[in-house]
Each structure stands twice: as C-alpha cells, then as structure tokens.
Amino acid sequence: MSGSLAENLARFRKARNLSQEELAAAADVGVDTVSRIERGQRQTTRPSTVTKLAQALSVPPGVLLGMALNAHVVRDAEIGRLRQAITASGEVPGLDDLADTAPVSDWPSLAEAGHAAWQAYVDGRHGQLLYALPILLTDARRYVHATTGDANAAAQRLLCTAYRLGAGIAGRLDLDDLAWTAAERALAVARRSDDPEIDTAISVRYLVWTLIKQGRTADAERVAVKAAEQIEPRMLDRDVIRAGVFGNLLFNAANAALRSGCGDRAQDLLAVAQSVAVRAGGDNATEAAIFGPRVAAIQLVEHAVRRGAPETALQLAEKIPGPRGPVPPFWEAGHRLHLAHAAAQLRRDHLAVKLLDEARELAPDWVRRQPLGAAVMRDLVDTATRRRGRHFAGLAAHYGVL
C-alpha cells in the first residue's frame, strides 16, 4: 500500500464501511481531525493520532502512512521535512515554527512521543522516525517556549534528545552536514537541560560521530577523550548512565584512533571501556547510551575486523558473553555484519550467508542502509560458482545487490 496519509485514511475507512464520525468515535479522536486529514488540510498529524486511527482500522501505522512496502526508500519530501525541523530558528525571520496553531502537547504525551522516536531509531524503523521526528522537534520547541523552571529544564532535555536523534538519522542517511547541525543544536540545548553534564557528554558523542564521518579522525579522538575525562565514573561509582556515556565516548575515540592508523591506542581505549562495562554488571540500552559487557565485547570483535584480523574476530566472537539486559536489534545486527565480513574474507561463505540472514532478521530496514552488508553480499554473489537458490537470491535483493 502506498499513497499519502490522506489518501490511505479515506481508502481504509471506506473499505471498512465506516463514516468519518464512526471512525472518529472508534479511534477516540475528533471528527474534525479525521475530516481535515482526509482533505489534506493537516500537514502534520501526531504519531499518537496515527496510531489510534490505525488501530481503529485494524492496520499497522506504517501501512496507513504508506510506508509498508518501501520502508527503506527515503523520499525527498521526508528529507525536506527533517531538514526544515532541524534548522528551524527564531533567530531567522520566517524560520520560526512557534506560531503553530495546534494546541501545545501535554508533558506525558510529549515524553511518550520522545521515547517512541528513540525506539524507532534503535529498531531501525527509519520511515516511522522520519515521520515522527519533525513533529517531535516542533512540539518540544513549543513546549520549551511555553514553560519555565523545572518543567522547562525537563523539556530542554527532551528537545536535546530529539536533536540527537536528528543527528543520528541524518548521519545514517549520509547527510553529514545536517547531522553536524543537529548535533551542535543538541549541544547548545544540553546546557539548559535538567541534567546538563550528562546531556552535554551525550551530545558531544554525536558530534564526534559526525567528525569521524567527515574523516576528521584526529579531531574526533581528541574531542571524545576530553569529554570522557570530564564524565569518567569514579572507582566505586555504580551510576550505569554515567558509565554508559563514558564507555560510548571511548568507543568513538577508539574508532577514530583505529581509522587514524593507531591500532594500539584504539585497543587501550577499548580495554578501559571494557573494564568499566564489567564493573557496570549488565547491559543497558537507554536514550543516554547502549553499554555493558556484551556491548563492549562486540566492540572488540568489530575492531579486529576493521584492523584486518578476521580469524581473531571470529575467535573473539566465540567468547562474547550473552546479553545481561537489553541490547538493541540494530547493534546485534551490526555485529553479525562484521562477522559476516570476517567469514567472507576467510572464504567461509556458508557462515557469511548465515550471519547476513541473521542480521536481516534482527533489523531488516537498518541493514539495508549499511554499506558493509551490501559489500559482503556483493562479494558472495561475485564468487559464487553455481546457483545458490531462492533464499540466497532473496538475501541479495534485500542487501541491494540485485
């Protein structure tokens, strides 16, 4: 199913033999909301409203939004909305989005929308994130504008998270300049949040990531190490958030060092991160950080692959501890892609195919966008000496080789 929300809402409503009034009652929304959406008079409909309408029509929200068949295809209009939301500014006449006539969201709804956007990001559901994030950024800015005191500081934290998600998704889509802008704005907002030290460190991590993508590896390592030093947990500190942010900064610093050709320094940085992960006790995945013993061990494997030691990578993978807490699917999928690369280098093609298949099952939308997965799959196709069957062909199609 494709088409706009307006077209799909009207189509599904009629197919279910519902009037606008009946659909509005079933979804617990105003009939004017249904009418305006179908007439195309609402350019932005909050994800919570889309979810209610989808449930009333017994279809997934993605289908109602027209994302189901081509979730991996990013349309220019979606990029345009993301760019507009990130770069909106009261400092530039005509770019301020605070004049929206819709009611300002209440805090519980806004916080729930923020967590849902983050979940879509870690799940690799890019289509839903690209729809929800511009709305979240606008709503968060308006809530900041409408509040003072503690409520304002909490809203600044949410706005900071939204900007970081903007940096993350822009980076995934190779929109590096937009990612940098979003990360800079996250850093500026972090200083006004109710936890400025942590939010500043997290925002620096996204800046470091954009520096790495720009090839500025020496700058990236220096910035990451400095930020890590400022947030480093003390010996008996059991704060899992602080430990996670510190460890993630070291991951980025190690990645930058390796890309600069400093493999030994990268190993030293990862060793520090791993010791903190072991002390943390379990794996954890929050808006602040993804960290823990399994996560740190996965980083060691990935660095072995990147430094050209595939056999070592596969040996290290056998020693990785099982998850002791949540590890996001995209993180596990990325681990499989690196192992698939190692296996393909060693011409263990059956293992490489198995790992690519596992990665696809874990995060299908996310892996489509990973150059590493496409490169490994292309290598397997090029070196295949005979037909490999429909399953192999399906994998090749999923990774964009066909």
Side-chain angles (χ1 to χ4, degrees), residues 298 302 329-339 359 362-363 366-367 370 372:
I298 285 174
E302 293 183 5
F330 88 92
W331 198 285
E332 294 282 6
H335 174 52
R336 266 71 169 186
L337 292 184
H338 280 91
L339 289 179
L362 285 163
W366 182 83
V367 299
Q370 303 310 305
L372 179 60

Side-chain angles (χ1 to χ4, degrees), residues 304-305 308-315 341-343 345-346:
V305 175
E311 190 69 53
T312 299
L314 293 178
Q315 290 171 357
H341 180 48
Q345 286 182 306
L346 298 170

Side-chain angles (χ1 to χ4, degrees), residues 140-157:
R141 277 194 292 260
R142 294 178 67 227
Y143 196 89
V144 165
H145 185 71
T147 55
T148 58
D150 292 345
N152 181 268
Q156 298 278 10
R157 172 165 43 85

Side-chain angles (χ1 to χ4, degrees), residues 100-343:
D100 194 321
T101 58
V104 176
S105 290
D106 61 272
W107 176 249
S109 297
L110 197 55
E112 182 180 352
H115 181 72
W118 175 81
Q119 194 65 58
Y121 176 74
V122 298
D123 288 349
R125 290 182 278 115
H126 294 149
Q128 291 187 26
L129 180 62
L130 284 168
Y131 179 82
L133 189 54
I135 300 171
L136 176 63
L137 281 163
T138 299
D139 284 351
R141 277 194 292 260
R142 294 178 67 227
Y143 196 89
V144 165
H145 185 71
T147 55
T148 58
D150 292 345
N152 181 268
Q156 298 278 10
R157 172 165 43 85
L158 178 61
L159 179 58
C160 182
T161 298
Y163 275 126
R164 292 196 297 260
L165 291 175
I169 188 63
R172 286 184 182 180
L173 298 175
D174 294 325
L175 303 170
D176 294 346
D177 289 342
L178 185 61
W180 177 265
T181 298
E184 273 196 317
R185 293 205 168 188
L187 186 58
V189 172
R191 301 185 180 106
R192 302 189 293 271
S193 83
D194 55 5
D195 198 349
E197 184 183 31
I198 292 293
D199 277 326
T200 295
I202 302 170
S203 301
V204 167
R205 191 179 81 229
Y206 281 81
L207 277 173
V208 168
W209 186 48
T210 61
L211 285 171
I212 292 174
K213 286 179 67 64
Q214 292 171 10
R216 298 168 60 184
T217 54
D219 289 340
E221 183 186 351
R222 184 171 58 254
V223 172
V225 168
K226 184 175 181 179
E229 290 172 347
Q230 293 173 344
I231 201 72
E232 183 175 3
R234 294 177 178 84
M235 181 63 68
L236 299 179
D237 190 346
R238 292 287 183 175
D239 185 339
V240 295
I241 298 299
R242 180 178 291 271
V245 175
F246 173 77
N248 279 199
L249 283 165
L250 291 187
F251 290 164
N252 283 5
N255 189 9
L258 189 64
R259 289 171 186 251
S260 296
C262 303
D264 290 343
R265 191 160 68 240
Q267 288 295 102
D268 291 342
L269 289 164
L270 286 179
V272 175
Q274 191 169 36
S275 67
V276 174
V278 171
R279 195 168 75 228
D283 296 292
N284 200 21
T286 69
E287 287 90 337
I290 299 168
F291 193 61
R294 179 172 176 82
V295 172
I298 285 174
Q299 284 290 303
L300 287 174
V301 172
E302 293 183 5
H303 275 250
V305 175
R306 290 192 179 107
R307 70 173 188 267
E311 190 69 53
T312 299
L314 293 178
Q315 290 171 357
L316 288 173
E318 294 177 358
K319 302 175 184 178
I320 291 179
R324 298 178 59 188
V327 178
F330 88 92
W331 198 285
E332 294 282 6
H335 174 52
R336 266 71 169 186
L337 292 184
H338 280 91
L339 289 179
H341 180 48

